Amino acid sequence: MPQDHPTDNPILNAAKRELEERAQTAVPLRTANDAYDRPARIVSINTSAHKGTRKSPVADGHDTVIEQFGLASDAHAGHWHRQVSFLAAESIQTAQARGLDVRQGDFGENFTTQGINLLSLPLGTQLKLGSEVLVEISQIGKACHTRCAIYYLAGDCIFPHEGVFGVVLKGGEVYAGDDIQVIKLGDGTCSFTPAEALEEIERARQKGTL
């Protein structure tokens, strides 16, 4: 009969302490503003069947986006303010430069983008994906409540800083390679985002964790 592993393992505890110390002294992961030097487009569409897992690029580079819901085949879709998520390929390259073996979808983003600095756009900005889909930016950044393996390996995780979320205003078909257009610049507010979500982000920024 297999024995349960003890929860208080001196070797594992020592390894965790070393990783935590390394994380505290590491330079934060941030992407340079001049990195977005290509045409704005979708590089990859990524989904997962379950929450809390990495996403994988859809096999044929195509998926359906449902209005006020999200990607049809993704577990994170739903009737809330973070229906779809974005992360720039440039952000992933920043993480790769730190020595991380990460690829499109590994940070849990639905859309890996290229050539557009979504972090520079205010809340409420409307993006057209391809010829049909319209998304409004509802949140920039994400408070991380638990430290993931990426954080301990690199000293930081880029998605909480550079991940962007949106609400689907108009659904349709979307394909890898589709253009991304800014249709309307926001005023810094989004009616779909709960006040408590904005307050959580602000607290994280004040603490320096975002």
Side-chain angles (χ1 to χ4, degrees), residues 4-195:
D4 293 335
H5 293 287
T7 56
D8 187 18
N9 187 310
I11 297 176
L12 292 177
N13 291 342
K16 185 175 181 180
R17 284 195 300 271
E18 181 179 346
L19 289 170
E20 288 175 343
E21 291 171 1
R22 186 190 308 171
Q24 291 173 1
T25 59
V27 177
L29 282 171
R30 299 293 188 278
T31 303
N33 289 329
D34 59 359
Y36 310 90
D37 57 355
R38 300 181 184 183
R41 67 185 185 95
I42 297 170
V43 175
S44 181
I45 303 169
N46 317 297
T47 62
S48 60
H50 304 283
K51 293 183 178 181
T53 62
R54 295 181 178 186
K55 298 187 187 300
S56 300
V58 293
D60 57 357
H62 159 259
D63 207 340
T64 300
V65 183
I66 302 172
E67 184 174 325
Q68 288 299 326
F69 188 73
L71 281 166
S73 62
D74 187 60
H76 284 88
H79 300 288
W80 64 324
H81 73 289
R82 288 174 11 199
Q83 296 172 356
V84 294
S85 57
F86 301 84
L87 184 68
E90 293 85 353
S91 296
I92 296 174
Q93 291 163 5
T94 297
Q96 290 170 338
R98 185 66 68 86
L100 291 174
D101 182 17
V102 289
R103 296 174 178 81
Q104 298 155 356
D106 281 353
F107 288 97
E109 80 278 6
N110 290 128
F111 296 104
T112 311
T113 65
Q114 184 181 71
I116 181 169
N117 185 0
L118 297 176
L119 301 173
S120 68
L121 302 175
L123 292 185
T125 295
Q126 295 181 8
L127 304 172
K128 188 175 184 180
L129 311 181
S131 61
E132 299 179 347
V133 177
L134 189 65
V135 172
E136 181 172 319
I137 294 178
S138 59
Q139 184 173 313
I140 299 173
K142 177 180 181 289
C144 187
H145 299 290
T146 58
R147 299 301 189 188
C148 62
I150 289 174
Y151 175 87
Y152 288 118
L153 288 170
D156 200 4
C157 180
I158 205 159
F159 190 81
H161 306 296
E162 301 190 3
V164 173
F165 298 91
V167 170
V168 181
L169 301 181
K170 182 177 182 293
E173 305 304 306
V174 67
Y175 300 83
D178 276 352
D179 293 337
I180 302 173
Q181 304 175 57
V182 176
I183 300 300
K184 176 185 176 183
L185 201 62
D187 62 0
T189 64
C190 175
S191 61
F192 300 100
T193 308

